[in-house]
Amino acid sequence: MAYLKIHSKWLPYAQMSDPRGFISRRFGDDHSGVDSVGNAYGNPVCAILDGRVTNVYTSTTLGHVVEYGQGPVRIAHYHLAKVSVKVGQAVTAGRDILGTEGDTGSLATGKHLHTSLWIDDVLTDPEPYLSGEKKLDLSQKGEMDMTYQTGDRVSVTGRIYS
């Protein structure tokens, strides 16, 4: 198989002696993430950011799934052979193993890791973040104290909370 790209340091494979990520399918064209392949069966998949596990489940199509995140960032890894974390567990980037790469779920056509990424609830191409080319901004867009006078004109982008 010819790979689309080989990244020398693929963050989900940081615990492997050879952390290369072989990209087999990219984000876009009705594909919600990036598919990568490690160089052996049973590759450990580790967290790429410090955060908390928010969901662990098994789907007929996606196989074993782990979702985790912090602030505005949420990540999901699909098709895992085995899951090693529980909901609510804190994970550390590059250190904590979430599970092992596998081929579970009917959408898996072979051993690989599918990774989807949401930033501020917007599905985003994860490849530049998983390769280390871009850094994830984990700062929470929080509330700001603002005072207005009657008659002030206000333009808001985002959510307004009372």
Side-chain angles (χ1 to χ4, degrees):
M1 169 184 222
Y3 293 103
L4 301 173
K5 182 158 186 167
I6 300 172
H7 292 284
S8 60
K9 287 186 177 180
W10 193 243
L11 294 179
Y13 299 152
Q15 288 287 329
M16 294 174 47
S17 60
D18 180 356
R20 287 181 295 173
F22 299 82
I23 306 307
S24 58
R25 188 167 179 198
R26 289 204 154 114
F27 174 82
D29 296 326
D30 294 324
H31 191 239
S32 66
V34 64
D35 290 349
S36 60
V37 178
N39 61 0
Y41 193 81
N43 297 320
V45 174
C46 67
I48 69 154
L49 62 89
D50 296 348
R52 191 160 301 280
V53 177
T54 56
N55 206 355
V56 174
Y57 62 95
T58 301
S59 159
T60 305
T61 55
L62 304 174
H64 300 307
V65 178
V66 171
E67 294 180 6
Y68 64 105
Q70 181 190 145
V73 178
R74 182 169 52 102
I75 297 168
H77 297 297
Y78 305 151
H79 309 302
L80 297 171
K82 178 179 135 192
V83 172
S84 305
V85 292
K86 295 180 181 176
V87 172
Q89 182 177 334
V91 293
T92 302
R95 189 182 81 198
D96 288 323
I97 304 297
L98 305 172
T100 54
E101 181 181 271
D103 59 359
T104 60
S106 62
L107 292 178
T109 56
K111 175 193 82 82
H112 73 286
L113 176 67
H114 174 100
T115 303
S116 290
L117 167 71
W118 294 263
I119 301 175
D120 288 324
D121 293 325
V122 175
L123 193 59
T124 304
D125 181 4
E127 189 171 346
Y129 300 98
L130 299 176
S131 68
E133 294 168 20
K134 283 182 157 182
K135 299 288 181 203
L136 288 164
D137 180 5
L138 301 176
S139 61
Q140 182 72 26
K141 294 181 177 146
E143 299 175 15
M144 296 172 48
D145 290 329
M146 295 176 261
T147 305
Y148 298 101
Q149 303 291 328
T150 302
D152 285 351
R153 290 177 178 230
V154 178
S155 175
V156 176
T157 302
R159 298 180 180 122
I160 299 176
Y161 298 96
S162 58

